Amino acid sequence: MEELQRLRAEIDQIDENLLLLLQKRFRLAKQIGEVKRKEGRSSLDLTREREVLRRLLEKNRGQFPEDSLRAIFLEIINTCRQAQEPLRVAYLGPEATFSHMAAIEFFGQSTEFLPVESVLDVFEEVESDRVRFGVVPVENSIEGTVSTTLDAFSQYRVKVCGEVYIPITHHLLNQTGQKEDIKKVLSHPHALAQCRRWLRKHLPSVTVEEVASTALAARWAAVDPSVAAIASPLAARTYHLQVVAKHIEDYKGNVTRFWIIGRQPPAPTGQDKTSLFFSVSDRPGALYEVLRAFANRGINLTKIESRPAKSEPWRYLFFLDCEGHVEDPLLRECLDEVRKHCLHLEWLGSYPRG
């Protein structure tokens, strides 16, 4: 008993020390905010925030669970940033969607989030400066590119400022946690498609219906005890639902990549990506000349994809991701050469790798 009391007293002392250090960090963050205001600089520095997290994870060397350490310091950083200037972020809603999860993963819980009805609405909120950043899905590991997101860059003056990858895991949720109470299953069409085999095997006689989002399905389940929703773990917490079954998706390893969009892209970190749109003339070797510029400089391409041009039938745009930042001398030299071989070249943004 004495040993237990001694250990608890030691933990209490550590907690008090942590509190004092947190208070000191908060005061310093406010002072930094004052300095930034005097110098006319933005209070938000995503590059610096990513560097802080990366350095702490390296120093930790796995001694404290990494996911928890990252979540803790993300909240600390975000709270201190809010002391300098409140941050508002738009995402494809409603609340508890995977886009909402991505927003929380990147910006932390204490950020002010604005759910909107469409991807284009996210772009609109960012371009109009009603929010500082937006979160939009750009690519799924199974279903491919989100065309609406890529097409929006031709309409709005925004840049990619960051990326985050979210595993897409589906849970079956209802009020009681009992499968026997389920008379109807609701979810977004994509979620239903990704769980079709599980539903056929475990709930063969239950009606399945499509709704606009996984979050809307969870809302229905929260008010109707006969309804179950296929939705995210965040939806279970948000709408106070019980888990009937976890990870019911037919294919494991499904991941969605989300882009953080804003008006001002971050400075180089040394671990960056650059995204581009370009088009080339319809002649032999035109695409090869573009790709050769990257290959000759040893610049790695992480993605390349062709897309139909909306303005002209049978003409194609190419979407490309490469390693490096547009301010890196080697990449800047490469893009100068690429521009000579392109009919059109658009820089979508340079940002820290997710």
Side-chain angles (χ1 to χ4, degrees):
M1 192 65 176
E2 290 181 2
E3 178 70 4
L4 180 62
Q5 289 177 342
R6 182 187 66 78
L7 293 171
R8 284 176 172 170
E10 192 171 339
I11 286 177
D12 289 343
Q13 185 60 56
I14 291 171
D15 289 343
E16 291 176 13
N17 291 338
L18 286 172
L19 177 60
L20 291 173
L21 291 171
L22 287 172
Q23 291 170 342
K24 183 177 181 180
R25 194 189 198 284
F26 190 78
R27 289 194 300 270
L28 288 171
K30 292 177 74 173
Q31 292 174 26
I32 289 171
E34 291 296 325
V35 172
K36 287 180 177 178
R37 274 190 288 274
K38 289 177 182 176
E39 296 179 355
R41 297 171 58 186
S42 170
S43 64
L44 182 64
D45 186 346
L46 289 177
T47 301
R48 164 66 178 164
E49 293 183 5
R50 300 301 112 179
E51 286 175 353
V52 168
L53 286 172
R54 189 177 297 115
R55 177 175 55 82
L56 291 169
L57 288 170
E58 287 175 357
K59 284 184 172 292
N60 179 52
R61 295 179 180 175
Q63 294 186 50
F64 192 92
E66 286 199 355
D67 287 346
S68 298
L69 184 69
R70 187 182 184 283
I72 290 166
F73 273 96
L74 186 61
E75 288 301 327
I76 292 171
I77 290 168
N78 184 61
T79 300
C80 292
R81 187 208 310 129
Q82 295 284 66
Q84 299 175 13
E85 179 186 348
L87 183 63
R88 201 160 184 248
V89 176
Y91 68 91
L92 178 60
E95 192 177 13
T97 58
F98 288 103
S99 292
H100 190 195
M101 290 178 63
I104 292 172
E105 174 73 14
F106 196 89
F107 291 103
Q109 291 273 3
S110 54
T111 301
E112 181 185 354
F113 293 115
L114 174 68
V116 297
E117 293 185 358
S118 72
V119 166
L120 293 183
D121 287 337
V122 178
F123 278 81
E124 178 71 30
E125 293 294 319
V126 173
E127 186 185 61
S128 64
D129 245 357
R130 289 191 289 267
V131 299
R132 178 66 72 85
F133 293 102
V135 179
V136 290
V138 67
E139 183 182 12
N140 179 265
S141 60
I142 292 176
E143 296 172 9
T145 300
V146 181
S147 58
T148 307
T149 296
L150 291 184
D151 293 342
F153 281 92
S154 63
Q155 304 175 47
Y156 297 93
R157 297 184 305 277
V158 302
K159 294 298 180 186
V160 185
C161 300
E163 66 176 1
V164 60
Y165 293 82
I166 298 295
I168 305 301
T169 59
H170 296 299
H171 292 357
L172 185 66
L173 312 172
N174 71 356
Q175 293 184 16
T176 64
Q178 301 300 315
K179 188 166 67 173
E180 295 75 20
D181 297 330
I182 301 172
K183 302 296 185 291
K184 183 187 296 184
V185 174
L186 304 180
S187 197
H188 186 275
H190 287 173
L192 292 174
Q194 291 166 10
C195 303
R196 187 178 292 115
R197 285 192 300 182
W198 191 96
L199 291 170
R200 191 183 300 126
K201 179 179 179 181
H202 296 278
L203 296 171
S205 60
V206 172
T207 302
V208 175
E209 292 184 7
E210 297 178 357
V211 293
S213 70
T214 56
L216 180 59
R219 288 183 184 178
W220 273 107
V223 298
D224 187 340
S226 70
V227 169
I230 296 176
S232 68
L234 178 61
R237 298 193 297 271
T238 302
Y239 299 105
H240 308 291
L241 295 170
Q242 304 299 313
V243 177
V244 179
K246 294 183 177 181
H247 307 298
I248 67 171
E249 59 274 8
D250 296 333
Y251 299 99
K252 308 304 177 186
N254 187 10
V255 176
T256 294
R257 176 189 179 198
F258 292 85
W259 269 349
I260 313 303
I261 58 172
R263 299 291 297 275
Q264 296 180 326
T269 67
Q271 298 187 28
D272 302 297
K273 266 187 188 176
T274 290
S275 295
L276 308 165
F277 256 146
F278 67 91
S279 63
V280 294
S281 59
D282 186 10
R283 61 178 177 80
L287 179 59
Y288 167 75
E289 289 169 346
V290 171
L291 300 182
R292 184 178 60 186
F294 291 92
N296 287 346
R297 293 167 177 82
I299 297 173
N300 187 39
L301 305 185
T302 59
K303 179 181 176 67
I304 183 167
E305 177 181 335
S306 63
R307 297 188 46 72
K310 301 289 186 182
S311 58
E312 185 180 338
W314 313 118
R315 191 170 72 84
Y316 292 87
L317 296 172
F318 293 91
F319 166 61
L320 181 149
D321 283 343
C322 67
E323 292 181 349
H325 194 282
V326 73
E327 294 182 15
D328 296 343
L330 189 64
L331 183 54
R332 190 164 60 241
E333 176 189 280
C334 177
L335 295 183
D336 287 340
E337 180 180 336
V338 165
R339 196 169 282 106
K340 299 174 184 176
H341 305 299
C342 292
L343 296 174
H344 172 76
L345 176 65
E346 182 179 355
W347 171 59
L348 301 183
S350 295
Y351 46 92
R353 291 203 301 266

